[in-house]
C-alpha cells in the first residue's frame, strides 16, 4: 500500500513538473512569438487635405496596389473624424502621432500669436538651430514647440534608441512633427532655385551621403516636365469641367486647363516650388522615401523602425484648383500609383507581412464656396475688412481705444491684458462684451470666450471640438466660428480649418502585420491612431495621449 502511495506521489510530482515545464515553455514561446511578430517597420502615411469621399468618388479609377490594396487587405475606418478645431496641417500631423489634441500637445495652428513674446510664431520654426543642406533659412526648424511625445518617440525609448525614426515630406512641418523629438532625421523639400532635400542641425550637422547623392542626381529637375492627365480627360467624370471660374491659375498661364508645361511655368512660379502644386511632388516624395528605406536599412533588424511619410502635394493642388477639379482627381489617381510603388518596394525589401501601414489625412477641405453658391448651396466669403471697421468702431465707442486688442488671427481675438488692467476693467467682462458684439456680425455663427473654455466642460457639438483645440496658455481670449461653408479665402480654390464634416471626415486605413481585415462605421477619432500603434507594438502610449486603442483593428 505504501508503495502504491509512493508511486502515486511520484507520478503526480512528475505530471506537476511536466506541467510547470510546459507552462514555462508556453510562456517563453508566447514571449518569443510576441517579439518575432512585431512589425519590422511601421509606415505612417498622412495625405495632406484628403477628404474621406476621395476614396469613394475616385475609387473606381484606382488600381489594386495602392488605396484599394489597403482596403482589400486591411481595415477601413469609414467614420473617422478630427475631434478638435482648428483643422490645419501642423495640428493635424501632430495629433495623428501624439494621440491627443492641441489642448494638450500645444500645436494650435500652423502659425499663431505668441502671448509671451508678442510675435507671430511658426509651429516648426526654431531660431536656435541652423539649416543643413542649404544656406537658406528654410532649414531653421525643429519640433521644440510640440509639448508631448509621439508614438515614434515612445518606440525609440522602448528600443533604447535602436529603432530608427525618419520623417519625410515636402513640407517641413509634415516631416518634423510626426517624427517627434527623438527622431534620427526629418527631411523636407526646399524648392526655389535649389530643388533639394534638406534638414536642420536639430538632427545632424551634415547631410548623409545618400541624401547628397539624391540631390545631385537632379530628381527635381526630372519632374519639370509636362503635366497632363494620366488617362483621357474625357473619362474624368468624377470631377467638374476642366475650364471653370472656380480654380486658381499658375502665373504665366491664361487658363487653369490641361496640359501644364512645368518647365516653362517654373520661371514665373518660384522655380522648383511649382512641383509642389502638382502630383509630381508626391512622386518625388515617394522616390525619397524609397531611398531612405534602402539607405537607412529600415525594417532590416529586430528593432521596429518608423517611417513617417506625408504627401503634401494634394494640399497644394487643392488650395489652387479646388476639391472638385480635374487637377485634384488626376493628383489622386497618380498618388495611388505612387502608393503602389512604395508598397511593392516594402514587399521586396522588408517583406510582405513584415511591415504595418496606416494612412490618414491631416484635415479635409470645403468645396469652393463660389461653386457651392452657384448650385444654390448656402456658402460664401467673410468680409474681413467690413468686420474690422465695425469692430474698431465698437472698441472706440466702448473703451475709447483700439489698443485693447493685441492681435486677431486664426479666428481668435487676443486682448492686451495690461491695457485691460490699466483701464480698470475685468478681463472676463471684456471677453463677454466682445463675444456679444462679434455674434452680431454677418456670417458669425458662434462665439466663445477663453473663460468659458477654461471653466465649462463640453462633451458634444462644436463646443467640444473648440475645447479640444483650446490651449489655455497659447489660445486667444475670444474664439469665432463662421457660418457653414463661409471662409476667409480667395474665390478660387479650396481651404480648411473648421470643425464641420468637410474638414473633419478623413480616411483611416490600416494594413499589414498585426492588422485584421474588415471595416467599421463606428466613429473613430484621430487621437486613436497613436495609441493603436503603441498597442500593436507593445510600447507606452505617447505621454499626453487622450485617444483609445482601436482593438477591433488589431489581429
Amino acid at each position: 500500500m505504501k508503495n502504491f502511495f509512493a508511486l502515486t506521489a511520484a507520478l503526480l510530482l512528475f505530471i506537476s513538473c511536466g506541467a510547470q515545464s510546459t507552462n514555462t515553455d508556453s510562456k517563453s514561446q508566447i514571449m518569443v512569438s510576441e517579439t518575432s511578430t512585431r512589425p519590422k517597420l511601421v509606415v505612417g502615411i498622412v495625405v495632406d487635405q484628403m477628404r474621406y469621399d476621395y476614396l469613394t468618388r475616385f475609387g473606381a479609377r484606382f488600381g489594386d496596389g495602392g488605396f484599394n490594396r489597403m482596403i482589400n487587405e486591411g481595415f477601413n475606418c469609414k467614420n473617422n473624424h478630427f475631434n478638435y478645431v482648428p483643422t490645419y496641417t501642423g495640428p493635424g500631423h501632430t495629433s495623428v502621432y501624439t494621440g491627443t489634441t492641441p489642448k494638450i500637445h500645444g500645436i494650435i495652428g500652423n502659425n499663431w500669436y505668441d502671448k509671451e513674446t508678442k510675435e507671430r510664431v511658426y509651429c516648426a520654426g526654431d531660431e536656435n538651430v541652423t539649416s543643413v543642406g542649404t544656406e537658406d533659412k528654410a532649414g531653421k526648424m525643429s519640433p521644440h514647440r510640440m509639448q508631448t511625445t509621439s508614438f515614434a518617440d515612445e518606440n525609440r525609448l522602448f528600443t533604447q534608441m535602436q529603432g530608427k525614426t525618419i520623417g519625410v515630406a515636402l513640407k517641413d512641418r509634415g516631416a518634423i512633427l510626426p517624427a517627434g523629438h527623438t527622431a534620427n532625421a526629418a527631411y523636407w523639400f526646399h524648392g526655389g532655385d535649389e530643388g533639394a532635400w534638406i534638414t536642420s542641425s536639430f538632427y545632424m550637422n551634415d547631410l548623409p551621403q545618400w541624401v547628397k547623392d539624391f540631390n545631385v542626381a537632379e530628381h527635381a529637375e526630372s519632374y519639370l516636365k509636362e503635366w497632363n492627365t494620366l488617362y483621357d480627360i474625357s473619362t474624368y467624370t468624377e470631377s467638374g469641367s476642366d475650364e471653370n471660374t472656380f480654380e486658381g491659375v499658375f502665373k504665366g498661364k491664361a487658363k487653369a486647363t490641361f496640359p501644364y508645361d512645368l518647365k516653362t511655368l517654373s520661371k514665373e512660379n518660384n522655380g522648383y516650388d511649382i512641383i509642389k502644386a502638382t502630383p509630381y511632388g508626391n512622386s518625388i516624395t515617394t522616390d525619397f522615401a524609397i531611398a531612405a528605406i534602402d539607405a537607412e536599412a529600415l525594417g532590416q533588424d529586430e528593432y521596429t523602425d518608423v517611417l513617417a511619410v506625408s504627401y503634401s502635394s494634394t494640399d497644394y493642388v487643392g488650395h489652387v484648383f479646388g476639391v472638385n477639379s480635374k487637377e485634384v482627381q488626376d493628383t489622386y489617381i497618380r498618388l495611388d500609383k505612387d502608393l503602389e510603388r512604395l508598397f511593392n518596394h516594402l514587399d521586396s525589401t522588408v517583406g510582405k507581412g513584415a511591415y504595418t501601414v496606416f494612412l490618414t489625412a491631416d484635415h479635409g477641405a470645403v468645396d469652393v464656396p463660389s461653386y457651392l453658391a452657384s448650385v444654390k448651396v448656402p456658402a460664401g466669403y467673410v468680409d474681413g475688412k467690413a468686420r474690422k471697421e465695425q469692430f474698431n468702431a465698437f472698441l472706440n465707442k466702448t473703451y475709447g481705444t483700439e489698443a485693447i486688442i493685441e492681435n486677431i488671427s486664426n479666428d481668435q481675438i487676443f486682448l492686451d491684458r495690461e491695457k485691460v488692467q490699466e483701464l480698470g476693467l475685468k478681463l472676463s467682462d471684456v471677453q463677454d462684451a466682445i463675444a456679444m458684439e462679434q455674434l452680431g456680425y454677418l456670417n458669425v455663427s458662434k462665439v466663445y470666450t477663453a473663460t468659458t473654455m477654461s471653466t465649462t466642460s463640453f462633451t458634444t457639438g462644436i463646443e467640444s471640438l473648440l475645447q479640444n483645440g483650446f490651449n489655455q496658455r497659447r489660445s486667444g481670449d475670444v474664439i469665432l466660428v463662421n457660418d457653414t461653408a463661409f471662409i476667409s479665402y480667395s474665390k478660387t480654390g479650396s481651404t480648411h480649418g473648421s470643425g464641420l464634416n468637410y474638414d473633419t471626415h478623413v480616411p483611416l486605413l490600416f494594413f499589414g502585420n498585426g492588422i485584421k481585415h474588415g471595416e467599421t462605421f463606428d466613429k473613430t477619432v484621430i487621437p486613436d491612431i497613436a495609441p493603436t500603434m503603441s498597442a500593436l507594438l507593445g510600447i507606452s502610449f505617447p505621454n499626453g495621449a487622450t485617444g483609445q486603442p482601436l482593438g477591433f483593428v488589431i489581429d
Side-chain angles (χ1 to χ4, degrees):
M1 194 65 161
K2 286 181 181 178
N3 288 341
F4 172 77
F5 283 120
L7 183 61
T8 303
L11 184 59
L12 289 172
L13 181 62
F14 174 77
I15 292 170
S16 173
C17 289
Q20 287 179 2
S21 174
T22 304
N23 247 356
T24 305
D25 289 346
S26 297
K27 288 179 182 176
S28 298
Q29 287 171 4
I30 290 169
M31 289 175 68
V32 170
S33 176
E34 286 178 349
T35 303
S36 62
T37 57
R38 241 185 230 118
K40 292 183 175 181
L41 175 64
V42 172
V43 181
I45 298 173
V46 177
V47 183
D48 207 322
Q49 203 189 114
M50 185 176 184
R51 292 162 51 118
Y52 175 80
D53 66 349
Y54 289 162
L55 278 182
T56 53
R57 183 148 64 97
F58 304 144
R61 307 306 305 267
F62 295 150
D64 295 328
F67 289 113
N68 284 331
R69 178 178 175 185
M70 296 193 74
I71 292 169
N72 294 332
E73 295 182 18
F75 204 98
N76 184 0
C77 297
K78 296 183 173 183
N79 190 22
N80 184 60
H81 288 263
F82 279 87
N83 64 339
Y84 66 83
V85 180
T87 43
Y88 293 128
T89 299
H93 282 79
T94 308
S95 298
V96 168
Y97 281 82
T98 63
T100 190
T101 67
K103 177 180 180 179
I104 307 297
H105 62 58
I107 303 298
I108 63 170
N110 292 335
N111 303 274
W112 65 86
Y113 179 72
D114 189 307
K115 293 187 284 190
E116 295 179 11
T117 63
K118 310 297 183 187
E119 61 183 5
R120 195 165 172 83
V121 297
Y122 175 57
C123 62
D126 190 346
E127 288 300 316
N128 295 315
V129 300
T130 57
S131 299
V132 175
T134 180
E135 296 297 318
D136 192 271
K137 64 180 181 181
K140 294 176 73 63
M141 306 288 168
S142 84
H144 76 108
R145 288 194 169 92
M146 187 170 79
Q147 296 178 323
T148 61
T149 62
S150 68
F151 84 82
D153 285 322
E154 296 298 337
N155 183 64
R156 290 274 286 159
L157 294 170
F158 181 84
T159 62
Q160 302 302 310
M161 302 296 173
Q162 296 301 303
K164 290 184 177 180
T165 298
I166 306 289
V168 174
L170 294 181
K171 294 182 181 180
D172 48 54
R173 58 188 180 271
I176 291 167
L177 299 172
H181 301 280
T182 61
N184 300 81
Y187 301 103
W188 52 97
F189 184 74
H190 177 50
D193 60 357
E194 295 185 49
W197 290 84
I198 65 172
T199 188
S200 89
S201 61
F202 180 84
Y203 306 100
M204 62 192 72
N205 294 318
D206 192 19
L207 289 175
Q209 190 57 48
W210 70 267
V211 178
K212 293 178 180 178
D213 292 343
F214 189 96
N215 286 336
V216 299
E218 297 185 341
H219 287 267
E221 180 71 27
S222 71
Y223 287 115
L224 288 179
K225 58 183 180 179
E226 182 181 83
W227 173 24
N228 208 339
T229 53
L230 186 62
Y231 304 115
D232 186 336
I233 196 170
S234 66
T235 68
Y236 282 34
T237 56
E238 298 81 9
S239 50
S241 59
D242 188 31
E243 185 175 348
N244 59 72
T245 59
F246 312 117
E247 300 176 325
V249 185
F250 287 133
K251 292 178 182 177
K253 198 171 192 319
K255 298 178 181 179
T257 55
F258 284 101
Y260 295 91
D261 180 354
L262 301 183
K263 183 75 171 178
T264 299
L265 291 171
S266 67
K267 297 169 186 174
E268 294 186 52
N269 293 272
N270 203 25
Y272 292 108
D273 275 341
I274 197 171
I275 295 171
K276 298 177 183 178
T278 76
Y280 300 140
N282 293 330
S283 296
I284 196 171
T285 300
T286 305
D287 296 341
F288 192 81
I290 287 173
I293 291 167
D294 293 343
E296 299 290 346
L298 299 182
Q300 299 302 314
D301 58 26
E302 68 271 31
Y303 300 104
T304 300
D305 298 321
V306 176
L307 175 64
V309 181
S310 178
Y311 285 108
S312 309
S313 286
T314 43
D315 185 67
Y316 288 110
V317 174
H319 276 298
V320 174
F321 300 102
V323 303
N324 197 44
S325 65
K326 295 204 184 303
E327 286 81 358
V328 160
Q329 180 168 0
D330 192 64
T331 296
Y332 277 90
I333 289 172
R334 289 177 181 272
L335 174 58
D336 184 62
K337 300 292 185 186
D338 281 318
L339 290 174
E340 181 175 6
R341 184 158 61 96
L342 176 62
F343 297 158
N344 287 342
H345 189 77
L346 290 167
D347 287 344
S348 62
T349 55
V350 182
K352 192 172 184 179
Y355 62 91
T356 305
V357 181
F358 70 80
L359 182 148
T360 189
D362 57 346
H363 52 73
V366 64
D367 252 305
V368 179
S370 55
Y371 164 69
L372 291 176
S374 75
V375 293
K376 301 180 181 179
V377 175
Y381 298 88
V382 172
D383 188 341
K385 183 179 179 182
R387 270 193 194 176
K388 185 177 180 180
E389 290 175 355
Q390 191 172 353
F391 188 41
N392 285 344
F394 162 80
L395 293 172
N396 284 313
K397 180 180 178 181
T398 307
Y399 303 111
T401 178
E402 298 168 19
I404 200 168
I405 303 300
E406 203 164 73
N407 179 267
I408 302 177
S409 57
N410 291 345
D411 293 324
Q412 297 180 38
I413 299 172
F414 295 79
L415 296 176
D416 184 330
R417 310 240 170 152
E418 291 182 4
K419 191 68 175 178
V420 170
Q421 189 174 18
E422 179 187 313
L423 293 173
L425 302 170
K426 186 178 178 182
L427 182 65
S428 60
D429 288 345
V430 178
Q431 290 176 350
D432 287 339
I434 288 175
M436 290 304 297
E437 170 69 13
Q438 289 281 335
L439 192 57
Y441 292 176
L442 186 65
N443 302 130
V444 174
S445 173
K446 294 178 176 63
V447 186
Y448 296 92
T449 68
T451 299
T452 299
M453 287 291 125
S454 300
T455 58
T456 308
S457 180
F458 298 105
T459 57
T460 60
I462 188 67
E463 295 83 3
S464 175
L465 273 64
L466 289 167
Q467 195 163 57
N468 285 337
F470 178 79
N471 184 281
Q472 194 170 18
R473 192 176 183 90
R474 293 180 174 179
S475 297
D477 290 279
V478 178
I479 305 169
L480 311 176
V481 180
N482 291 319
D483 285 342
T484 303
F486 275 78
I487 61 174
S488 296
Y489 202 66
S490 68
K491 292 189 177 181
T492 58
S494 299
T495 193
H496 48 86
S498 79
L500 293 154
N501 284 324
Y502 48 73
D503 282 336
T504 68
H505 191 194
V506 298
L508 177 55
L509 305 174
F510 297 89
F511 99 109
N513 185 294
I515 302 299
K516 290 179 181 176
H517 173 54
E519 61 183 36
T520 184
F521 282 105
D522 289 346
K523 186 172 184 178
T524 58
V525 293
I526 286 295
D528 293 337
I529 298 171
T532 301
M533 300 317 297
S534 290
L536 178 68
L537 297 177
I539 62 177
S540 292
F541 292 3
N543 58 18
T546 52
Q548 299 298 315
L550 303 175
F552 52 82
V553 165
I554 299 173
D555 190 358

